[in-house]
Amino acid sequence: MKYEWVIFDADETLFHFDAFAGLKCLFANYQVDFTHDDFEFYQRTNKPLWLEYQNGEISAEYLQVTRFNFWADKLGVEAKTLNQGFLQAMADICQTLPGARRLLELLETRAKLCIITNGFTALQQIRLERTDLSHFFEHVIISEQVGCAKPDVRIFEHALALMGNPDKQKVLMVGDTLSSDIQGGVNAGLDTCWINHAGDKEQDTVGATYQVACLTSLYQLLK
């Protein structure tokens, strides 16, 4: 195999991330029937905050609290408490994407594996433990801990330093999001593989080295 290191994103690359289901679980604890309309309203706040976080304009803590301010006021509960409940709910319903474990099993004897995620510490550590995936990875780099998020080149530089500064031509970044995973890999001078779950519905505007539709296809590409 060409690559000595493969860096993975986490959400929707290795793990299914069903935010709507997690929010329904969270608000059921407060006797709220959280609807799709509620989710769309939540996303109108949440999505711009994520973009600001990726751009280094706000902190992880600010994002996590601010996205729940509306519901905190409505329910008389601290936004921080709602965020903690949401992360716990997401941990409770976590599932790996089809083919994720098998891919890691096949790759672990051929390359060293790493995760760089913009997700939050509380959720990442629990998911890796509950799915028994922790042992596959040499390093798990979490933006909340590093202080910058993909696509900022600094988080990749941090990861590469932990990896012993390998030849960048032998490192592959794999992720599902063009604006963070693939752009970040490009910024760092790495080859990239975009997992395009949407198929022809979304166009590569960044310039990934490879494009696949699923994790099984990724193994066929790398073997």
Side-chain angles (χ1 to χ4, degrees):
M1 191 171 79
K2 175 181 177 181
Y3 300 103
E4 296 179 355
W5 283 89
V6 181
I7 303 173
F8 287 94
D9 170 51
D11 295 334
E12 292 304 323
T13 297
L14 296 173
F15 298 101
H16 183 46
F17 192 85
D18 189 342
F20 177 64
L23 288 164
K24 281 190 73 70
C25 290
L26 164 66
F27 287 113
N29 294 325
Y30 298 93
Q31 291 73 55
V32 173
D33 180 16
F34 192 80
T35 67
H36 284 284
D37 287 341
D38 291 326
F39 183 61
E40 289 180 7
F41 180 79
Y42 166 84
Q43 288 289 60
R44 287 200 289 271
T45 297
N46 184 56
K47 284 186 174 181
L49 286 170
W50 272 102
L51 289 175
E52 291 177 33
Y53 177 55
Q54 288 178 196
N55 292 335
E57 298 169 7
I58 61 173
S59 68
E61 181 179 4
Y62 182 85
L63 187 163
Q64 292 178 80
V65 171
T66 303
R67 62 183 176 176
F68 284 110
N69 277 345
F70 170 80
W71 284 100
D73 290 341
K74 187 172 182 176
L75 298 174
V77 180
E78 288 189 2
K80 185 176 181 179
T81 299
L82 292 176
N83 181 72
Q84 291 170 340
F86 173 58
L87 294 179
Q88 182 61 57
M90 293 304 296
D92 290 341
I93 66 172
C94 73
Q95 293 182 341
T96 57
L97 286 179
R101 178 175 295 278
R102 182 56 178 158
L103 173 65
L104 297 175
E105 291 172 345
L106 292 168
L107 289 182
E108 70 171 338
T109 60
R110 311 184 67 170
K112 294 182 179 180
L113 309 179
C114 175
I115 287 177
I116 301 179
T117 174
N118 284 356
F120 302 125
T121 303
L123 177 57
Q124 306 306 325
Q125 294 177 336
I126 292 174
R127 287 194 307 188
L128 285 167
E129 292 169 3
R130 290 188 179 180
T131 55
D132 191 30
L133 297 187
S134 298
H135 63 93
F136 288 112
F137 300 101
E138 300 286 330
H139 306 287
V140 177
I141 294 95
I142 302 172
S143 62
E144 184 179 13
Q145 297 175 353
V146 178
C148 55
K150 296 174 294 184
D152 193 319
V153 71
R154 291 176 296 170
I155 196 168
F156 289 89
E157 291 172 344
H158 174 77
L160 291 167
L162 291 176
M163 293 155 57
N165 293 310
D167 181 349
K168 289 184 178 182
Q169 293 184 353
K170 296 182 179 180
V171 181
L172 178 69
M173 174 67 206
V174 178
D176 69 297
T177 305
L178 287 170
S179 62
S180 57
D181 305 321
I182 305 309
Q183 186 63 64
V186 170
N187 291 347
L190 307 178
D191 281 0
T192 57
C193 182
W194 177 35
I195 301 178
N196 180 8
H197 297 296
D200 294 337
K201 295 180 180 179
E202 188 174 358
Q203 299 299 314
D204 181 358
T205 57
V206 177
T209 312
Y210 312 104
Q211 181 179 155
V212 297
C214 63
L215 293 175
T216 300
S217 299
L218 174 59
Y219 177 70
Q220 295 300 319
L221 174 70
L222 293 178
K223 72 175 183 177

